[in-house]
Amino acid sequence: MISITEWQKIGVGTTGFGIFFILFGMLLYFDSVLLAFGNRHKLKGTSFFLGGVVIVLLRWPLLGMFLEAYGFFSLFRGFFPVAFGFLGSASNIPFLSALFQRLQGTSSMV
């Protein structure tokens, strides 16, 4: 008879929780109402990003990657000042802190 150790039981439980939450997250992510609600004002960025993916798959990689990059920056334009502000407050290096605070600007997500 094979004995199961406590570490193996914890591993199986943790893996089970992980699989459950990944599947639940995918279920919520692909919900059409949530997708429409979240992307309604970001239609231009989403279309450029997905169009870039299609162009890459059609074997035009350079053009497709430019379209994807434009779509990415268009989608996450409001998040960059928040990220730079966090990096500026999290880093204790004077030069980087000043640089990130300058990049943060005055715009906010709210």
Side-chain angles (χ1 to χ4, degrees):
M1 181 173 227
I2 299 175
S3 64
I4 297 175
T5 65
E6 292 297 319
W7 287 107
Q8 289 173 334
K9 291 178 186 177
I10 291 172
V12 168
T14 306
T15 303
F17 275 118
I19 290 172
F20 168 74
F21 283 114
I22 285 174
L23 292 176
F24 188 64
M26 287 173 46
L27 177 74
L28 289 178
Y29 181 73
F30 291 117
D31 184 34
S32 61
V33 175
L34 292 175
L35 282 172
F37 182 71
N39 283 332
R40 188 172 298 154
H41 61 285
K42 298 179 179 184
L43 185 61
K44 181 174 131 180
T46 304
S47 60
F48 269 97
F49 186 78
L50 294 178
V53 170
V54 169
I55 296 296
V56 166
L57 293 176
L58 292 175
R59 297 183 183 195
W60 289 76
L62 193 58
L63 177 63
M65 289 183 66
F66 280 128
L67 290 174
E68 287 178 13
Y70 177 75
F72 177 80
F73 286 118
S74 178
L75 281 172
F76 296 106
R77 178 181 6 200
F79 177 71
F80 289 132
V82 175
F84 288 139
F86 172 75
L87 289 174
S89 66
S91 66
N92 292 329
I93 302 170
F95 173 72
L96 288 179
S97 151
L99 176 69
F100 286 138
Q101 286 176 358
R102 189 170 27 147
L103 287 174
Q104 176 186 9
T106 58
S107 73
S108 67
M109 296 270 306
V110 185

